[in-house]
Amino acid sequence: MKSSSSVPRLVIAAPSSGSGKTTVATGLMAAFASRGLAVSPHKVGPDYIDPGYHALAAGRVGRNLDAYLCGAELVAPLFAHGARGCDVAVVEGVMGLYDGAAGEGELASTAHVAKLLRAPVVLVVDASSQSRSVAALVHGFASWDPEVRVGGVILNKVASERHEELLREALDSAGVPVLGVLRRVAQVDTPSRHLGLVPVAERRAAAVEAVEAMATQVRDGCDLDALVALARSAPALSGAAWDAAEAIALSPPPPLPNPDPGGSAPRPPCRPERPR
């Protein structure tokens, strides 16, 4: 097992929502876990539903990495805290790779978190209805921000062997290796609602089946050895892991109100409370 500062890691991103990030990220977590690896699952942003599926896949609690709510300075320490003792970490992105908080530039985007974690990015591309154009798409995402390292691409919804040949031929010129090809199949049963996927707690047995289906898709279509090698290329993070006890000690509770503000009754002593 690795120290928390040097855990191999991947960020699973996409050009836009609906490209297959959740299928690939969840399937990859389950596929790595089935190889005997201790997998640390993470999700960019405040989404609490996807981490439920991640937890099923990895056998370990799914954790959020939100640069907007927690602050950019806490992303790497929180990651190191959650990934402590693991062999590999998989971070599922949010929306498109460069989509962040509205009007705030890159803040809280998948690209922002990838840079904070110094993690290579795997771009999941919906390749349906295109062939050679995929090279322009991938080239654009890989070159947009030189600090974001797109280390590979996984092609999703590929129609046939001929379609795959055309896509691979086009991507040879883009300089980004193809690390997986997923065929166009019936959608894995992960029903959606207005806030995203239906939570695991509401469909436990069906959710387990869905995660197993995602794992099979990824195992059959992706180069797991190449993905592990890419994860291991991530450099060590600097700084210490976040520590709950230290954080509580640095943030004492506010003083209790004076029960007799108009009189001379002494204020009761301020005692830190145990977290609930």
Side-chain angles (χ1 to χ4, degrees), residues 33-83:
S34 69
R35 284 188 158 197
L37 297 174
V39 180
S40 182
H42 301 264
K43 170 69 180 181
V44 175
D47 182 345
Y48 67 92
I49 297 176
D50 285 347
Y53 289 85
H54 297 171
L56 281 182
R60 185 181 176 100
V61 65
R63 297 176 180 273
N64 295 92
L65 297 170
D66 191 330
Y68 187 86
L69 291 178
C70 296
E73 71 282 354
L74 273 180
V75 168
L78 286 169
F79 168 83
H81 168 74

Side-chain angles (χ1 to χ4, degrees), residues 127-131 157-168 184:
S128 59
S129 304
Q130 62 178 316
S131 58
K157 301 181 184 178
V158 176
S160 63
E161 289 187 10
R162 178 56 179 160
H163 188 201
E164 179 181 341
E165 288 175 8
L166 293 171
L167 294 166
R168 286 183 179 274
R184 187 182 297 164

Side-chain angles (χ1 to χ4, degrees), residues 8-176:
R9 53 199 178 276
L10 293 172
V11 171
I12 307 301
S16 64
S17 295
S19 299
K21 288 192 305 293
T22 298
T23 295
V24 171
T26 307
L28 195 56
M29 292 169 190
F32 282 159
S34 69
R35 284 188 158 197
L37 297 174
V39 180
S40 182
H42 301 264
K43 170 69 180 181
V44 175
D47 182 345
Y48 67 92
I49 297 176
D50 285 347
Y53 289 85
H54 297 171
L56 281 182
R60 185 181 176 100
V61 65
R63 297 176 180 273
N64 295 92
L65 297 170
D66 191 330
Y68 187 86
L69 291 178
C70 296
E73 71 282 354
L74 273 180
V75 168
L78 286 169
F79 168 83
H81 168 74
R84 184 182 283 115
C86 284
D87 299 308
V88 65
V90 178
V91 181
E92 181 186 342
V94 62
M95 299 186 292
L97 174 58
Y98 294 108
D99 299 327
E104 299 286 346
E106 73 171 6
L107 177 62
S109 67
T110 302
H112 187 204
V113 170
K115 292 197 289 188
L116 293 170
L117 297 180
R118 306 178 69 192
V121 171
V122 176
L123 196 67
V124 180
V125 176
D126 179 350
S128 59
S129 304
Q130 62 178 316
S131 58
R132 191 164 178 262
S133 295
V134 74
L137 175 71
V138 172
H139 174 74
F141 273 85
S143 60
W144 177 260
D145 185 342
E147 294 182 41
V148 176
R149 177 188 169 205
V150 177
V153 61
I154 292 176
L155 301 169
N156 192 24
K157 301 181 184 178
V158 176
S160 63
E161 289 187 10
R162 178 56 179 160
H163 188 201
E164 179 181 341
E165 288 175 8
L166 293 171
L167 294 166
R168 286 183 179 274
E169 181 180 309
L171 285 167
D172 281 344
S173 62
V176 180

